Amino acid sequence: MSSAERRAATLRGGEWVLAVAILAALVAALLPVLGVVEPGAWLLGAVVLAALILAAGFIARSFRLPAVAVSLIEAGVWVGFMSIVFFRDSAMLWLIPTPETVRAVPGLYQDGVDEIVLGAAPLESTVSLSFFIVGAMGLLAIIIDHVVVTARMPLLASIGIVAVSLIPAIAVPTDVDVMAFVFLAASILFLIRLETRSREKPLERDAERSAGVPATAIGIGAIAVVIAVVATPLFPQPILRAGSGLGPGHGIDATLQLGDDLRRPQEVDVLLVRSDAPTSPYLRATTLSRFEGGVWEPDRVRTVPLEADYALGPLDLDADIRISVYTTSIEVLNLNSTYLPVSYPAVAVTGLDGRWGAVPYNRTVMSQAGSTQGQTYEVVTNQPRPTLEQIRAIDAVAADARDETTELPSDLPANILELALEQTAGTTNDYDALVKLQSWFRGGAFRYSLEAPVEDGFDGSGAEAVGQFLERREGYCVHFASAFALMARTLEMPSRIVVGYLPGTANGEIVDSKPVFTVNSSLVHAWPEVYFEGIGWIPFEPTAGLGNPTSFSPAAALPGQAGDPQSPTPGATPTPTSTPGANPNDLLNPRDDEASGPAVGAANPLPMAGVVIGILFLLALPAVWREVRRRQLLSAAAGGDAASAWTMVQDAAIDVGIAVPASESPRAFAARLIDEGAPPDAVAVLLTAIERASYAPTAGGRDFWLGDATGDAATAVRATLLAAAPPSRRVLAVIAPRSLIVRPGSVYAGGGTAAKAPTRSG
C-alpha cells in the first residue's frame, strides 16, 4: 500500500469514528425526550435515520464528492426514509414522494405540533408525534454532520446539540437526570476531541501520545462534569426579582384544563405557606361563573388598585354570624402567573412588590404589571363561622348575584337534573341537599382517576363531559367540581367553580410558632362554591379522596367565643385527608390513581441486587477500559505503529510505579526498564522501532515496519514488569490502572526518578 493510500485510509477511518461520535452526541440529545414522550417506535426510528444519514455522508465523502453533493445525498436519505416509514401508501415504490405524499405532510406535521402544544407529559407515542420527532432528528443529523465534518466547527455543533437537549427540560421542568447529563457531556467532549484529532498530522499524533495531552483533556473534562453534577447544586440559587414576570415557574390554568397539569410526571414546589388558622387553607387564584355548555370561563370583572380602601372591604354578613380572623403568610417559590394565590375570604393583602389589583366580587388579586414569581406576602381573612342551625335556616339564593351564576345551557344532559333530584330527595333545606350531594360523590360510588376521562373521551368540563362522568363515575377534580356546580344550579342555587391549590403538606419547619406547609404543582385543584344569602360563598369538596367534606357544627358543640382563633373552623376551609385507608377513595396526592405495590414487609431482593451489580460494574470499568485501550494499541502496533507499541510499555511502567518523565530519552528509559527486569531483546526491538520513527520519519514513520515484532515485544515487556511488581501494586495495576488518568510525560508520570538523559527526541 502506498503512502498516499495509507493516508487516505487513515483519513477515512478518522471520519468514520467522527461519524460515530456525532451519532452518540445526537442520541444523548434525544434521551431527555423520553421524559416527555412515552417510549415507542419513534426512538428506534430516530436513531436509525440519524445513523443512515451519517453513513451516507461518510460514504459520499470517501468518493471525494463536494460538500453540497454530500448534503443533498443525506437529504435524499431523509426523504426516502420518511416516505417508507410514514407515507409508503402514497409514495411511489414506497420510496419516492408523490403529490399526494406532499399534501399529507402539513396535516401530519400540524397534528404533531398540536399534540406537543396541547398535550400533557408523558405524551402518547402517536404516528403524528413520531413523524415530528423522527423528522426533526434526521434534519438535525444533516445539520450537525455538515457543521462538524464539512465546516469543522465542533463547538458550534455542540452548542446546538446542548440546546436541543434542553428543550424537553424547558417544556416539563424536572430534576436533572445526572446519567443523561454525564452521557451528553462525555459524548460532546469525545466529539470535539475526535474532530480536533482528525485534523492533526500523524507525527503530531505520535508526539502527543508522549506529551500527555489526551490525559489532560480527559482530566479537564472530567473535572468540569464533576463540578456540574456535584458542586453546582450546592451554590446559592439566583434570586428572582419579585414581580418581574420573568424567569421560570409553573403557571395557573384558569380554563379548567387542569388534567394536563396533573398528569405531568414531575412535581415542583410552588409555594410555602404558614397560617395561624387551625388548618392550612385552600388558596384560590380565580373563579369561573359563566358556563355556556362547552367550557367554564373565568370571571371577567372589574379590578381596583389593591391599596384602595374599597378593594377588599369587610364582609357583608348577617349580624349574628360569627367571624374568625386569620393571617396567612405565603412565599412563592416557582409560580409565574398573573393570578395571586390567596386564602378566602381575604380582606387585606400586604407585602407585594409591583402593581396589583383586587377583584371585590370574588376577593381575588391579579397583577397589573409583573407576576407572582418571587413574591412574599400576607393575607388577612375574615372567616364566617355560622352554626349548623344558622346555615340550615338560610336559602342558597342571592338577590344581587350575577345571572351567570345560575344559567344552564339548553342542551344540558338529562341525567344531571335526574341525579340531582334523586340524590337530594327527602332534604328540607338547601344546605342539607348540598351536603348530601357532597357525600354521594365522596361515599365510594365515584373513583378519582386521571386516566379514565382521557381513555373514555370525556376529559373536559363541558355539559356533555359531565354527563359522561356521571355515568362512568371516574374522573378528577374538574369533573367532580363541574358536576356538583351544575347539579346545584339545576336545584336553583347559585354556584361557581374556583381554581387554586389544595392545602400543602407540613415540611417540618416552624416559623414564628407556625408550621410551614409546602404546596407543589400536583396540588392544583378545582372546587365548587354555592352562595348563601347573608353568609356569602361557601366552598364544598366533592372530589373523592381529596380534602375534607365541608360541614358545620351545631351551636351547642362549638367551643370558645365568637372570634376565638383557637376554636375549630367549620368546613369552609376543607383540608386534605391525612389518614388514607378510612375510605377507598382517600388519596394523599391528586396524581395517585390507585394504591399499588408489594405488601408492606415483603422483602424484595431485586433493589439490593441491582445496587450490588451496579457497584461491581462501576468497579470493573477501569479494568475494562484499560484492556480496551491495550488492545487498540496492540492492534496499531501490529500495523507498524511504533509509537503505539512504545505507549503500551510506558502505560505498563506507570501502572507498576515506574517513572516516565518527559525529559528522558527513549534510550535512557529503555536502560531503566532493563534494570527493572524487562527482557533486553524485547526492549531493543522497541527502542529500535521508536528511534527510527522519531529520528528518521518517513510516510508517517511506518517505512521501517517490523511486522508483529513490536507488538510482541511490548506484550513481553508489559508482562515482565507486572510479574516483577509487588502483589499489591500488581492488583492495582489491573483493577485501577494509573495510566488511565496519568499519561506518559506528564507531571504525575515523572515520579521521583531522575532522567538519565538531558533531552528527549521524537
Side-chain angles (χ1 to χ4, degrees):
M1 180 183 291
S2 67
S3 299
E5 290 173 339
R6 285 199 298 269
R7 281 196 297 269
T10 301
L11 176 61
R12 288 196 295 271
E15 290 186 357
W16 177 82
V17 178
L18 188 58
V20 173
I22 295 174
L23 179 61
L26 291 174
V27 172
L30 184 66
L31 289 181
V33 180
L34 291 172
V36 181
V37 182
E38 294 178 350
W42 62 266
L43 180 59
L44 177 61
V47 175
V48 170
L49 177 56
L52 290 175
I53 288 173
L54 295 174
F58 166 73
I59 294 173
R61 290 188 182 93
S62 69
F63 288 97
R64 302 295 186 264
L65 295 179
V68 174
V70 173
S71 297
L72 290 175
I73 291 173
E74 291 178 335
V77 171
W78 183 86
V79 171
F81 184 89
M82 298 296 289
S83 298
I84 292 174
V85 174
F86 296 101
F87 304 104
R88 56 181 174 270
D89 293 337
S90 60
M92 184 184 304
L93 301 177
W94 295 0
L95 185 66
I96 304 173
T98 63
E100 183 182 352
T101 303
V102 175
R103 287 192 295 269
V105 170
L108 198 58
Y109 169 82
Q110 188 59 49
D111 289 344
V113 172
D114 291 342
E115 290 186 30
I116 294 173
V117 174
L118 303 176
L123 298 171
E124 184 181 353
S125 178
T126 62
V127 173
S128 56
L129 194 57
S130 299
F131 169 79
F132 190 91
I133 297 174
V134 173
M137 183 68 166
L139 294 176
L140 182 63
I142 296 174
I143 294 171
I144 297 299
D145 180 69
H146 178 82
V147 172
V148 173
V149 183
T150 303
R152 294 294 180 179
M153 293 189 290
L155 289 178
L156 178 60
S158 300
I159 293 173
I161 291 171
V162 171
V164 170
S165 70
L166 291 176
I167 293 175
I170 295 173
V172 183
T174 181
D175 295 334
V176 175
D177 186 336
V178 175
M179 294 305 297
F181 170 77
V182 171
F183 179 44
L184 177 64
S187 62
I188 288 177
L189 291 174
F190 182 57
L191 172 62
I192 294 174
R193 170 60 184 154
L194 282 180
E195 194 281 332
T196 304
R197 188 173 180 80
S198 68
R199 288 184 286 176
E200 295 175 350
K201 297 179 180 179
L203 285 180
E204 292 175 344
R205 292 199 295 268
D206 293 343
E208 187 184 279
R209 288 195 182 100
S210 302
V213 175
T216 303
I218 292 174
I220 294 174
I223 292 172
V225 172
V226 169
I227 290 176
V229 172
V230 178
T232 301
L234 302 179
F235 295 158
Q237 298 299 311
I239 299 176
L240 294 171
R241 181 171 62 85
S244 66
L246 300 176
H250 277 242
I252 298 177
D253 192 339
T255 63
L256 281 192
Q257 303 298 317
L258 303 184
D260 295 344
D261 296 326
L262 291 170
R263 281 187 290 270
R264 294 185 186 275
Q266 294 83 10
E267 295 183 6
V268 178
D269 293 340
V270 294
L271 304 170
L272 291 179
V273 180
R274 66 181 189 274
S275 177
D276 58 8
T279 57
S280 183
Y282 279 37
L283 300 175
R284 69 178 48 214
T286 189
T287 58
L288 301 90
S289 301
R290 182 180 298 277
F291 182 75
E292 297 180 350
V295 295
W296 290 84
E297 296 183 2
D299 292 330
R300 295 181 175 86
V301 291
R302 182 176 62 94
T303 61
V304 298
L306 182 60
E307 59 273 12
D309 294 337
Y310 51 88
L312 298 173
L315 302 180
D316 184 15
L317 304 178
D318 288 347
D320 56 346
I321 302 297
R322 300 189 307 163
I323 295 177
S324 291
V325 180
Y326 301 119
T327 301
T328 301
S329 300
I330 302 171
E331 177 183 352
V332 179
L333 301 177
N334 192 10
L335 179 65
N336 196 347
S337 173
T338 57
Y339 299 104
L340 187 75
V342 295
S343 47
Y344 183 78
V347 295
V349 179
T350 58
L352 290 170
D353 292 332
R355 294 170 48 215
W356 294 85
V359 183
Y361 169 68
N362 56 15
R363 295 187 180 271
T364 59
V365 178
M366 297 180 63
S367 172
Q368 296 178 338
S371 80
T372 57
Q373 187 68 31
Q375 298 282 354
T376 300
Y377 53 100
E378 285 191 348
V379 182
V380 178
T381 57
N382 287 353
Q383 181 65 59
R385 299 176 59 213
T387 65
L388 179 60
E389 292 83 359
Q390 287 174 326
I391 197 168
R392 278 178 168 170
I394 297 175
D395 292 332
V397 295
D400 56 348
R402 294 166 173 253
D403 291 340
E404 61 191 30
T405 63
T406 58
E407 291 177 344
L408 289 168
S410 58
D411 58 346
L412 189 72
N415 63 341
I416 296 178
L417 175 59
E418 293 171 359
L419 289 172
L421 295 174
E422 176 184 324
Q423 295 302 321
T424 59
T427 58
T428 58
N429 59 77
D430 291 343
Y431 173 74
D432 284 348
L434 295 171
V435 167
K436 197 168 182 181
L437 269 183
Q438 179 180 251
S439 300
W440 176 58
F441 281 113
R442 300 178 59 89
F446 288 80
R447 188 177 74 90
Y448 186 96
S449 173
L450 289 170
E451 304 304 329
V454 177
E455 296 170 357
D456 294 345
F458 61 92
D459 189 19
S461 59
E464 183 179 351
V466 170
Q468 290 181 265
F469 162 71
L470 291 174
E471 293 181 2
R472 187 69 171 82
R473 301 196 177 184
E474 286 184 290
Y476 50 92
C477 60
V478 168
H479 304 94
F480 286 94
S482 296
F484 188 98
L486 290 179
M487 295 173 85
R489 290 189 181 187
T490 62
L491 300 176
E492 300 181 353
M493 304 180 196
S495 65
R496 66 186 183 189
I497 292 178
V498 185
V499 174
Y501 288 100
L502 286 162
T505 56
N507 60 19
E509 296 182 23
I510 302 292
V511 178
D512 296 334
S513 301
K514 303 172 186 175
V516 179
F517 294 81
T518 300
V519 178
N520 63 45
S521 55
S522 70
L523 297 181
V524 64
H525 191 51
W527 63 94
E529 289 184 329
V530 179
Y531 191 87
F532 283 78
E533 192 74 49
I535 298 177
W537 291 96
I538 300 296
F540 289 83
E541 184 54 278
T543 303
L546 295 183
N548 287 333
T550 296
S551 63
F552 293 91
S553 302
L558 291 177
Q561 300 299 319
D564 181 4
Q566 302 303 321
S567 300
T569 303
T573 55
T575 58
T577 179
S578 59
T579 56
N583 186 298
N585 287 311
D586 284 342
L587 304 172
L588 287 177
N589 191 310
R591 298 185 185 193
D592 295 336
D593 228 357
E594 297 178 289
S596 61
V600 176
N604 186 354
L606 293 180
M608 182 57 66
V611 171
V612 173
I613 293 174
I615 293 175
L616 294 176
F617 175 76
L618 292 176
L619 293 176
L621 280 180
V624 174
W625 186 5
R626 182 69 187 87
E627 181 62 19
V628 171
R629 174 174 168 77
R630 187 188 70 82
R631 290 180 179 273
Q632 289 176 339
L633 292 174
L634 186 60
S635 176
D641 188 352
S644 295
W646 190 252
T647 301
M648 279 184 61
V649 174
Q650 290 178 316
D651 287 349
I654 292 173
D655 290 340
V656 298
I658 299 174
V660 187
S663 60
E664 190 173 41
S665 68
R667 187 168 291 273
F669 179 61
R672 281 199 301 111
L673 290 179
I674 294 174
D675 293 341
E676 295 288 345
D681 294 342
V683 173
V685 171
L686 292 170
L687 180 61
T688 300
I690 194 63
E691 285 185 337
R692 286 180 175 179
S694 300
Y695 299 115
T698 304
R702 292 173 172 79
D703 281 358
F704 300 101
W705 185 56
L706 298 176
D708 296 331
T710 53
D712 295 340
T715 301
V717 172
R718 179 178 181 275
T720 303
L721 294 178
L722 288 175
S728 58
R729 174 69 69 177
R730 193 183 314 142
V731 172
L732 287 176
V734 174
I735 65 174
R738 295 174 66 239
S739 60
L740 290 179
I741 57 176
V742 176
R743 304 304 305 136
S746 67
V747 175
Y748 300 102
T753 305
K756 294 185 179 181
T759 61
R760 179 176 184 270
S761 301

